[in-house]
Amino acid sequence: MSISRRQFLGWLGAAGTAGAGAAVGKKAHAAASKRFEGYPDSDGVLFDSTRCIGCRKCEEGCQKVNELPEPDRPFDDLTVLEIKRRTRAGVYTVVNKYDTGENGKGTVFRKIQCNHCLEPACASACFVAAFTKTPTGAVTYDESVCVGCRYCMIACPFEIPTYEYDQPLTPKIEKCTMCYPRITQGLLPGCVEICPVEALSFGKRKDLLREARDRIQKHPKRYVDHIYGEKEMGGTNWLYLSGVEFEKMGMREDLGTTSAPELTHGALSIVPMVVGLWPVLLTGVYAINKRKEKINREEKERAVAEALGKANAEAQAKLSQTMEKAENDKKTEIDTAVKKALEEAAKKESDDKETS
Amino acid sequence: MSDTTAHVGSPRYSAFNVIAGIILALGLVVTVLRFSGGLSSVTNLDDYNPWGIWIGFDLMVGVALAAGGYVTSAAVYIFGMKKFHSAVRPAVLTGFLGYTLVVIALHYDVGRPWRLPYPFIMQQGTTSLLFEVAACVALYLTVLFLEFSPAALEWLGLERARNWAVKLTLVLTIFGVILSTLHQSSLGALFLIAPSKLHPLWYSPFIPLYFFVSSVIAGLSMVICESSMSYKYFKDKMDDTHMKEKESVTLGFGKAASLVLAGYFVIKVIGIASDNNWSLLATGYGAWYLVELLGFVALPCFLYAVGVREKNITLIKWTAAWTVLGIVVNRLNVSWIAFNYHLPSSERYFPHIAEIVISIFLVTVGILIFRYIVTRMPILYEDPDYPQH
Ligand code: SF4
Ligand code: SF4
Ligand code: SF4
């Protein structure tokens, strides 16, 4: 199991404490599990640019031991140094020339290859875990699972991984492996072995750091007081010394010391929060709405019932009124009729009297 | 194109059909080139610029614009806004097609498309936000398929299966919201790992939140657009309920969009303040950022509000289209314009014509399938045999 996965589980645990602050990267770091400081005995390479003569031998060594394709221009053609190059498919390492114009230090060379980060962005970004940070320090890549999404290339702050864009169906990522197959057999990486001036030294990272500090201390005028890779992006197994500001050799000094996993763990820790909270909240909202609807419906029903009741009562009242009226009418009618009859009878009587 | 009611195959459609035919033919040619010559034969991608518009537009924009599905079904089934019921089916259909096309686009972009299930079946790269995106998109596509299935089953006359599918509505809706929250936000979070490459005005620890909130805006605006387009071209397919509710959908969604845009504007400003990026606003990128923030967030927020207040349906519709364009601008800014801002222009990316062809090709395929389905299945009307779906 790679260390990054173990860390992920750690974050999941930390998610509880990261809580709401998780979305705010800076703050959430405080709640993160402790930083991975690298495998204690891992190997590394120290590149000393003040020694490098720009001979491109390391490129050649790399091509030979890794059986990479032949270069477009032979390795002893130093005119290619005039153009800025980068790693690309079939090329794990390149040497570039920089004219710094600085106090007599003039032209410097820099060798570019994978820095074998302590907490590699590429490994953290890969969604099939194709990269492994091995205990040797080397970051290796497994072609057999790679989907070719190229997110590792987006993630790598040093712009190292390359891709076989011309392969229609079987493209793979390519990058320096620190000669993993060789170092596990006790051999030196191809570039280190071939370098004629010991601009490259291979060894345990902690020893290399000591060595680098030593050199800076002994020759304070020769070096800038900075070991590139000691802290950059959480630290790398490939370390650099230089006589000029690293920026002048095209190396970014604004990368910061935050490792890739630290940059993303806040967002990852939100996952359990969303999965845990949303269903509860949404079901709650749903239930409230259901209840509201029910109450609404009941109220409506009650209102309807009441209205009906009222209408009934009214109708009843009206009916009895009408009945009463009708009765009254009838009564009057009868009264009138009786009265009329009596009157007529009385009239008849008097008429009879008159005639008799 | 004509705005009178039209039928498939009628002469009124012929101009559209001809153009669509040409696009389909070009798309097929590029497809052959892509799978015979590799990405380098049809794209301008390189080692500095591994992601182009197939990711920036087809994936990022596609997923955002397909958010109408979860937004609408959540509004209706969870928040109980029954009056928007007729908007659910078209929105779910748009979402389903959108996600399907996203997945198809990925088959062009990744190196070995048949390995797309590898993150689930071979090795899980759980530290990767892309893993989260992949898992949620795969699951959500399934959810959308199930949400859409009642319409298809009604069409096929499979009553029992249909009734069974309808019973799942609430559970599916809740699932949809969870999955959408996760992957909409983690699409933004993909860029958290590259603070040195994305311009600081766009890079923010809040970027997952920005992506999520703007997806709600995209979803609401897309429903408005989609409903006015459907009205224009498929009026004869709409039933009375749909016609009646159409206006209230436009007004209601316009109002919601205005509110969410206001919130989005505020959190964007908070983001600038918390990173203290004010001085960057005076640079060239700053000016472009202000165009996005003022022109595509503040302005539509205001126009939506005016439109709702004055019940001006036309204004709301145009604002919705403008907002959708704003989402496109935002996603392209993050994935392309402001990405690799540190590189010299000679090393920057500009899409190859064939990349654009594929993007247009996929959108066209989407429209054609949409047309096929709405002219056959009960999407814009209720099937008389299955009232109150
Ligand atoms: S330099 Fe880039 S490719 Fe190499 S280990 Fe670091 S992140 Fe990975
Ligand atoms: S391109 Fe391959 S190695 Fe790189 S992130 Fe994608 S799957 Fe992993
Ligand atoms: S072989 Fe050594 S001296 Fe020559 S270019 Fe490589 S690192 Fe520099």
Side-chain angles (χ1 to χ4, degrees):
Chain A
M1 187 156 114
S2 73
I3 195 74
S4 39
R5 191 159 332 151
R6 230 182 294 149
Q7 272 214 321
F8 174 70
L9 296 175
W11 302 327
L12 287 185
T17 41
V24 194
K26 280 170 201 148
K27 284 206 186 116
H29 289 165
S33 48
K34 63 181 185 334
R35 178 187 286 183
F36 174 58
E37 300 286 356
Y39 291 103
D41 274 331
S42 61
D43 295 322
V45 175
L46 174 64
F47 170 74
D48 187 334
S49 85
T50 67
R51 294 185 180 184
C52 176
I53 54 172
C55 66
R56 294 187 70 208
K57 282 271 183 261
C58 47
E59 293 183 27
E60 187 175 358
C62 178
Q63 183 256 331
K64 292 266 142 57
V65 302
N66 291 301
E67 291 162 11
L68 300 175
E70 288 295 324
D72 308 335
R73 312 256 288 272
F75 288 114
D76 51 13
D77 178 357
L78 296 185
T79 57
V80 300
L81 291 172
E82 299 306 324
I83 29 173
K84 188 186 161 212
R85 295 175 303 151
R86 62 155 290 156
T87 54
R88 59 197 146 86
V91 180
Y92 292 178
T93 187
V94 292
V95 177
N96 273 349
K97 184 171 103 175
Y98 301 88
D99 286 315
T100 66
E102 207 178 89
N103 47 8
K105 282 170 178 159
T107 303
V108 293
F109 301 96
R110 167 167 73 111
K111 179 181 179 299
I112 301 170
Q113 76 299 305
C114 171
N115 285 332
H116 301 277
C117 306
L118 297 184
E119 293 179 82
C122 55
S124 160
C126 179
F127 70 158
V128 284
F131 294 94
T132 313
K133 178 73 180 170
T134 66
T136 61
V139 176
T140 59
Y141 159 76
D142 177 5
E143 186 202 330
S144 72
V145 289
C146 174
V147 181
C149 67
R150 309 185 298 285
Y151 185 36
C152 48
M153 300 168 70
I154 294 279
C156 173
F158 304 106
E159 298 168 330
I160 295 303
T162 68
Y163 187 70
E164 296 180 308
Y165 285 102
D166 53 353
Q167 292 293 323
L169 295 172
T170 55
K172 59 177 187 297
I173 294 289
E174 285 193 348
K175 73 168 197 70
C176 154
T177 64
M178 212 202 254
C179 283
Y180 181 71
R182 285 169 62 86
I183 59 177
T184 45
Q185 287 169 34
L187 296 169
L188 284 176
C191 56
V192 178
E193 191 179 65
I194 206 171
C195 178
V197 294
E198 278 183 54
L200 294 163
S201 340
F202 179 81
K204 300 257 171 279
R205 182 176 188 265
K206 55 178 191 223
D207 297 339
L208 293 175
L209 276 173
R210 203 174 306 128
E211 164 74 20
R213 265 186 222 112
D214 234 37
R215 288 190 205 171
I216 295 175
Q217 213 160 33
K218 279 193 191 128
H219 310 281
K221 288 235 169 62
R222 186 180 172 126
Y223 296 104
V224 294
D225 187 13
H226 180 76
I227 304 169
Y228 195 100
E230 183 179 10
K231 300 226 170 71
E232 273 74 12
M233 288 301 285
T236 60
N237 279 64
W238 211 285
L239 302 165
Y240 298 79
L241 280 176
S242 168
V244 299
E245 292 300 327
F246 286 96
E247 203 124 63
K248 297 225 160 92
M249 298 199 300
M251 297 170 80
R252 296 189 67 171
E253 297 199 75
D254 58 349
L255 296 180
T257 57
T258 313
S259 72
E262 271 180 280
L263 288 168
T264 52
H265 93 267
L268 283 168
S269 62
I270 282 183
V271 178
M273 298 298 269
V274 171
V275 175
L277 274 180
W278 259 150
V280 182
L281 290 179
L282 295 177
T283 320
V285 171
Y286 174 76
I288 290 171
N289 277 318
K290 260 270 130 88
R291 205 177 137 62
K292 242 199 245 154
E293 255 169 46
K294 200 175 152 215
I295 291 175
N296 274 348
R297 204 172 41 234
E298 280 172 3
E299 258 169 18
K300 216 192 223 160
E301 271 161 17
R302 204 173 316 133
V304 169
E306 242 165 51
L308 272 180
K310 213 165 144 203
N312 261 345
E314 260 166 29
Q316 209 78 52
K318 215 169 179 183
L319 192 69
S320 54
Q321 235 177 37
T322 331
M323 299 251 287
E324 223 171 87
K325 194 168 165 240
E327 235 152 67
N328 279 346
D329 285 357
K330 212 162 195 179
K331 221 165 149 196
T332 347
E333 212 172 275
I334 295 170
D335 281 355
T336 340
V338 171
K339 219 167 149 192
K340 212 174 164 191
L342 281 176
E343 262 170 23
E344 257 167 33
K347 204 178 164 201
K348 216 176 173 189
E349 230 171 74
S350 65
D351 281 358
D352 286 348
K353 261 185 205 158
E354 266 172 36
T355 49
S356 63
Chain B
M1 291 245 279
S2 134
D3 60 356
T4 55
T5 22
H7 290 276
V8 196
S10 81
R12 296 215 182 272
Y13 258 115
S14 61
F16 174 77
N17 284 347
V18 168
I19 297 170
I22 296 173
I23 294 172
L24 291 189
L26 285 173
L28 290 176
V29 171
V30 177
T31 305
V32 171
L33 290 176
R34 152 67 184 94
F35 289 104
S36 57
L39 286 180
S40 59
S41 59
V42 287
T43 72
N44 282 341
L45 298 175
D46 59 29
D47 290 326
Y48 280 121
N49 304 287
W51 284 356
I53 57 166
W54 289 352
I55 297 293
F57 182 79
D58 297 42
L59 172 67
M60 300 279 173
V61 175
V63 167
L65 297 190
Y70 88 88
V71 172
T72 313
S73 44
V76 172
Y77 296 125
I78 297 178
F79 292 88
M81 305 179 187
K82 293 272 157 63
K83 59 179 174 180
F84 301 141
H85 195 275
S86 63
V88 172
R89 277 197 177 181
V92 166
L93 174 61
T94 317
F96 175 53
L97 291 178
Y99 276 85
T100 309
L101 293 171
V102 164
V103 174
I104 295 176
L106 287 178
H107 282 71
Y108 284 79
D109 190 78
V110 303
R112 309 192 200 204
W114 61 93
R115 284 187 179 177
L116 277 169
Y118 271 27
F120 316 118
I121 57 173
M122 298 294 286
Q123 289 190 134
Q124 290 80 39
T126 46
T127 56
S128 171
L129 279 153
L130 191 60
F131 180 79
E132 195 187 318
V133 172
C136 293
V137 168
L139 288 172
Y140 187 48
L141 186 59
T142 320
V143 167
L144 278 169
F145 174 73
L146 292 174
E147 283 187 309
F148 163 71
S149 64
L153 293 169
E154 283 168 21
W155 180 55
L156 295 170
L158 299 172
E159 190 175 343
R160 280 186 52 192
R162 178 263 179 203
N163 290 341
W164 202 79
V166 166
K167 285 212 184 81
L168 291 175
T169 306
L170 180 64
V171 177
L172 288 177
T173 306
I174 292 181
F175 255 127
V177 175
I178 297 171
L179 294 169
S180 297
T181 311
L182 288 177
H183 73 262
Q184 294 285 0
S185 61
S186 45
L187 272 180
L190 286 180
F191 293 93
L192 281 176
I193 207 166
S196 58
K197 296 184 183 175
L198 183 57
H199 190 281
L201 279 172
W202 281 273
Y203 185 92
S204 159
F206 295 116
I207 197 171
L209 188 63
Y210 294 161
F211 266 57
F212 172 64
V213 174
S214 55
S215 83
V216 176
I217 297 166
L220 293 168
S221 304
M222 272 302 277
V223 170
I224 298 174
C225 289
E226 178 269 321
S227 121
S228 79
M229 299 292 259
S230 295
Y231 179 71
K232 199 162 172 187
Y233 298 113
F234 307 111
K235 197 159 45 180
D236 58 326
K237 292 287 164 197
M238 292 186 174
D239 63 5
D240 290 345
T241 332
H242 206 104
M243 292 286 201
K244 248 189 279 148
E245 292 184 2
K246 202 176 67 69
E247 194 147 305
S248 80
V249 166
T250 306
L251 285 171
F253 278 45
K255 189 171 169 190
S258 175
L259 286 172
V260 184
L261 274 163
Y264 183 56
F265 181 83
V266 171
I267 56 174
K268 285 280 240 189
V269 174
I270 291 176
I272 305 178
S274 76
D275 288 344
N276 201 7
N277 279 338
W278 298 109
S279 59
L280 291 173
L281 291 177
T283 63
Y285 275 105
W288 181 235
Y289 185 85
L290 286 176
V291 169
E292 187 193 317
L293 186 64
L294 300 178
F296 290 105
V297 180
L299 179 67
C301 172
F302 173 73
L303 291 180
Y304 265 134
V306 172
V308 171
R309 213 190 139 94
E310 295 173 357
K311 298 215 184 323
N312 185 341
I313 301 290
T314 321
L315 178 61
I316 297 180
K317 274 183 200 161
W318 282 105
T319 309
W322 184 250
T323 312
V324 166
L325 181 66
I327 297 292
V328 177
V329 168
N330 171 259
R331 297 303 193 260
L332 290 182
N333 276 344
V334 171
S335 64
W336 167 22
I337 312 284
F339 190 79
N340 274 340
Y341 74 104
H342 62 293
L343 291 180
S345 54
S346 60
E347 278 159 7
R348 295 296 304 275
Y349 158 84
F350 193 85
H352 190 285
I353 180 78
E355 289 178 73
I356 300 171
V357 166
I358 289 296
S359 292
I360 297 176
F361 167 68
L362 290 174
V363 173
T364 311
V365 170
I367 294 173
L368 289 176
I369 304 180
F370 186 87
R371 185 176 80 175
Y372 180 89
I373 293 180
V374 295
T375 48
R376 284 167 180 77
M377 299 183 195
I379 303 293
L380 300 173
Y381 58 94
E382 254 175 37
D383 191 312
D385 294 345
Y386 305 91
Q388 258 295 303
H389 42 248

